[in-house]
């Protein structure tokens, strides 16, 4: 990868990275309908974002539109999928094979977006040696050996809240570089570690509160 | 519920509703450790939010702290759980029993936070009449009859992207008031409908991009 591309990658703001998958989903839809060109105005209208924002977001991706006709959809789909990392596989370990953890192991759909969950870990001895959706589950004690074997860089955290910080520290010490935290606990990490929080409970709180307002 | 309480509920901003579950998770941890009082400064430090923000967020909840000692933890846990709607059950239907949809049906953990998924729907005839985790799966054609039977108000959308908008319109017409959208498609809804987007793919995009930056 050329040095300029790397710099460009560093520069991408998180809100842009969050919006690009929306554009991609819409573009795939258009492609499926047989459309060939799209303008940033069209994307903007569909996604409910300013056209200037769409153009700015797409400026981070190495693709250029043509005056009047816009972007070629097939090219933009390919470039976006690759840019977002969905076309290469990233190895992940999942920590905490409880209800949510087991459910995530069963979701093969994530593989299509570049996430390859290669193993699950749990402290309960009875889970060690089992498999879920062909993914092996190991005892947490085996983590140091397994990270050397698999070279996973992403850790999915689905442990109980009271173990979240402890597990976080343990797996960072073992070499995990990015954490996808599904617990409602705000884990603390060193600056160079990437964290994404998916708080299902926060979404529930918003929905319940708004529903109650409607029902009054 | 008194009129003042209702007004108070309407006023709660979404960022506050998203932060309150973090506070709750931390408070439950402290309670488990036998602690009895907590200050907003302590919460702030733990969660990495300004103390004034914590105090403001908690002002929406009907609970008052005492000077010097702070909030009584056990009371605050109870009040927050109830305020966030986690202590009452909210009936939900899930649309699209694919890989992610089936995984969510298997996650019994959501029940503990007040989300009761009572049925799944899919257009594939072979899924109709099956159950996942004791939750019945019906053909989409049965939705109008089933919403009358169950009175569900929440719709979880896990259909393929190309069906997201169509299903959204269908279920709103049937009486669903709040949508939890797991697809990467930006669904369009009337103003009175509540939407929460959980885009797993957006989180992946951010993680992959940052990991690539680290690895260069």
């Amino acid at each position: 990868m050329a040095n300029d591309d790397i710099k460009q990658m560093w520069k991408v703001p998180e809100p842009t990275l969050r919006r690009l998958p929306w554009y991609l989903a819409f573009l795939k839809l258009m492609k499926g309908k047989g459309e060939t060109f799209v303008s940033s105005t069209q994307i903007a209208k569909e996604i409910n974002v300013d056209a200037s924002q769409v153009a700015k977001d797409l400026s981070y991706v190495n693709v250029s539109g043509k005056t009047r006709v816009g972007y070629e959809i097939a090219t933009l789909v390919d470039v976006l999928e690759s840019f977002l990392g969905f076309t290469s596989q990233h190895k992940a370990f999942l920590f905490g094979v409880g209800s949510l953890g087991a459910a995530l192991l069963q979701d093969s759909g994530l593989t299509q977006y570049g996430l390859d969950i290669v193993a699950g870990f749990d402290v309960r001895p009875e889970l060690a040696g089992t498999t879920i959706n062909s993914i092996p589950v190991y005892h947490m004690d085996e983590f140091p050996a397994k990270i050397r074997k698999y070279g996973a860089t992403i850790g999915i955290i689905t442990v109980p809240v009271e173990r979240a910080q402890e597990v976080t520290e343990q797996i960072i010490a073992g070499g995990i570089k990015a954490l996808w935290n599904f617990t409602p606990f705000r884990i603390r990490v060193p600056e160079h570690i990437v964290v994404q929080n998916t708080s299902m409970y926060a979404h529930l709180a918003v929905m319940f509160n708004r529903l109650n307002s409607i029902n009054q």
Side-chain angles (χ1 to χ4, degrees), chain A:
Chain A
M1 188 180 278
N3 216 16
D4 278 354
D5 289 347
I6 299 166
K7 279 201 192 137
Q8 196 173 31
M9 198 172 262
W10 277 332
K11 281 191 309 194
V12 191
E14 186 160 332
T16 293
L17 287 170
R18 291 177 168 279
R19 278 187 297 265
L20 290 175
W22 302 343
Y23 305 166
L24 176 61
F26 168 61
L27 293 166
K28 280 170 145 180
L29 260 189
M30 288 193 77
K31 192 183 163 193
K33 284 177 186 163
E35 305 282 340
T36 47
F37 283 94
V38 68
S39 66
S40 40
T41 315
Q42 264 177 294
I43 301 176
K45 206 181 154 192
E46 185 67 25
I47 311 286
N48 208 7
V49 172
D50 277 354
S52 59
Q53 184 66 66
V54 172
K56 200 178 168 196
D57 287 343
L58 290 178
S59 75
Y60 289 103
V61 184
N62 264 331
V63 69
S64 51
K66 289 175 197 166
T67 320
R68 288 176 202 274
V69 287
Y71 302 94
E72 202 185 3
I73 295 174
T75 310
L76 193 47
V77 165
D78 288 349
V79 171
L80 269 177
E81 280 192 321
S82 159
F83 182 83
L84 292 172
F86 294 164
T87 49
S88 45
Q89 291 297 311
H90 303 77
K91 285 185 193 164
F93 280 170
L94 180 140
F95 301 90
V97 188
S99 181
L100 177 60
L104 287 174
L105 290 181
Q106 260 143 358
D107 178 16
S108 315
L110 293 170
T111 318
Q112 292 165 36
Y113 285 85
L115 188 77
D116 184 18
I117 310 180
V118 290
F121 294 86
D122 205 287
V123 289
R124 287 168 292 179
E126 66 271 24
L127 292 179
T130 63
T131 62
I132 294 179
N133 190 20
S134 308
I135 300 165
V137 177
Y138 301 110
H139 190 274
M140 194 61 200
D141 291 346
E142 294 189 66
F143 164 65
K146 295 303 175 190
I147 195 158
R148 282 193 297 273
K149 179 183 165 192
Y150 288 102
T153 51
I154 297 173
I156 303 171
I157 306 182
T158 47
V159 297
V161 166
E162 60 272 19
R163 296 211 60 230
Q165 186 59 38
E166 174 196 343
V167 165
T168 295
E169 287 163 19
Q170 203 174 345
I171 68 183
I172 291 173
I176 291 286
K177 306 278 183 233
L179 300 174
W180 195 0
N181 176 28
F182 281 84
T183 78
F185 189 77
R186 300 298 283 177
I187 51 173
R188 289 176 303 272
V189 301
E191 232 174 58
H192 64 282
I193 298 292
V194 184
V195 176
Q196 287 289 295
N197 296 298
T198 292
S199 179
M200 315 274 266
Y201 318 106
H203 290 290
L204 289 179
V206 177
M207 282 195 295
F208 295 164
N209 183 275
R210 301 309 188 221
L211 275 177
N212 279 340
S213 307
I214 292 169
N215 291 339
Q216 301 307 331

